[in-house]
Amino acid sequence: MPVMFKNPLGIGYMGYDSIQPAIQTGVYTSKFVHNDWMQMALDFGWLFVIAAVWILIRQLLKGKQEFYKKLMLLIISGYILLEFHLQFFFIVMTVGLLWDYNEDRLEVKKKESMRENQIFASAAAALLIYFAIASFSTQSGNYQRALKMFPYDTTALEAALVVQEDKETAYTMASELLEMNEYNSQGYNTLAYISLMDGEYEAALSSIEQALEKNPEKAEYYLEEGIILTLL
């Protein structure tokens, strides 16, 4: 809750997963908060949630769909308080089917906008396929292709960084990773390791301490810190 209220514009998609090790009070990990309304507030900000709630209330009060559709919308909006259900595409599609699009008013413009809708749908489908391939590349371990298609995929960048053997490339990747996500402990850990290899023990200690600050539950970081301290 404090993170949500301190960030009215949100912390970005998967931001909670990144900062969780630094703020958690127990030894556990969870990518999501299992509450769709709170997850939206964390990802996009509570201003976004206020707008979403206002749109939902307006739909329930002024929508012209049947009562049972409004009731189902109300049930879904309440149920997602208890679980992370909007991750399932069929739930999103169900909400879309229950929504009132004011079809009477749109009927007049239907023929005029058909071509525009086709262009928009084709572009959206192409974009969806493109990012689906990029995401699949990350999940299947093809990090180079994933990063080539979408350089801002920090999950792929972190995974590629872990297996990177070239020191200069690893330094560049770690710097880019931290520029995009300052809470990523692996980025600091890599910088600590590179500084240690270069004999820059003070810099190595500073980096590993930052890694521990971001992820105090990572046992191997304490071992690395101990090794660096013995060299000072």
Side-chain angles (χ1 to χ4, degrees):
M1 292 293 285
V3 176
M4 182 177 68
F5 287 113
K6 287 180 181 178
N7 298 273
L9 298 180
I11 54 178
Y13 178 67
M14 297 299 291
Y16 174 74
D17 182 47
S18 297
I19 71 170
Q20 183 188 185
I23 63 173
Q24 66 186 18
T25 56
V27 184
Y28 62 91
T29 56
S30 176
K31 289 184 178 294
F32 308 102
V33 295
H34 296 277
N35 177 319
D36 275 308
W37 289 111
M38 290 185 66
Q39 190 67 51
M40 283 188 284
L42 286 168
D43 290 348
F44 311 114
W46 50 265
L47 296 177
F48 176 90
V49 173
I50 291 174
V53 171
W54 179 81
I55 292 173
L56 175 64
I57 292 175
R58 193 170 186 275
Q59 180 74 196
L60 293 174
L61 295 177
K62 296 188 176 182
K64 296 181 179 180
Q65 67 270 61
E66 294 88 339
F67 173 76
Y68 79 90
K69 291 185 177 181
K70 292 185 178 182
L71 182 60
M72 289 183 67
L73 280 174
L74 187 61
I75 291 173
I76 291 174
S77 63
Y79 193 53
I80 62 176
L81 282 168
L82 308 175
E83 202 27 285
F84 188 53
H85 284 296
L86 292 183
Q87 64 178 311
F88 302 113
F89 188 62
F90 79 91
I91 296 291
V92 178
M93 291 298 295
T94 300
V95 172
L97 291 172
L98 296 173
W99 208 259
D100 173 35
Y101 298 98
N102 202 352
E103 295 180 357
D104 293 337
R105 189 176 65 183
L106 295 177
E107 187 68 31
V108 178
K109 298 183 178 180
K110 185 175 291 186
K111 293 183 179 180
E112 299 176 3
S113 61
M114 185 171 294
R115 180 173 177 79
E116 288 82 353
N117 289 339
Q118 290 174 343
I119 294 173
F120 175 79
S122 300
L127 195 63
L128 180 62
I129 293 171
Y130 181 87
F131 281 104
I133 294 173
S135 178
F136 177 76
S137 299
T138 300
Q139 298 301 320
S140 60
N142 193 338
Y143 307 122
Q144 297 303 321
R145 183 174 66 183
L147 290 170
K148 187 176 181 180
M149 296 183 70
F150 187 55
Y152 301 102
D153 185 347
T154 55
T155 301
L157 184 57
E158 180 179 351
L161 175 61
V162 172
V163 298
Q164 180 57 242
E165 297 180 354
D166 181 74
K167 185 174 68 172
E168 298 299 327
T169 304
Y171 179 84
T172 301
M173 293 172 68
S175 299
E176 291 177 354
L177 181 59
L178 291 173
E179 185 177 349
M180 289 188 285
N181 181 5
E182 62 178 311
Y183 288 94
N184 189 283
S185 63
Q186 183 58 49
Y188 290 111
N189 182 51
T190 299
L191 293 180
Y193 185 70
I194 293 173
S195 296
L196 184 61
M197 291 176 63
D198 292 339
E200 299 175 356
Y201 303 131
E202 292 288 349
L205 181 61
S206 176
S207 293
I208 200 64
E209 285 178 345
Q210 289 183 81
L212 279 167
E213 181 184 347
K214 305 305 180 187
N215 192 350
E217 301 298 333
K218 196 83 168 180
E220 64 188 67
Y221 292 168
Y222 292 97
L223 177 60
E224 293 175 19
E225 183 184 33
I227 293 172
I228 295 171
L229 287 172
T230 61
L231 296 172
L232 287 172

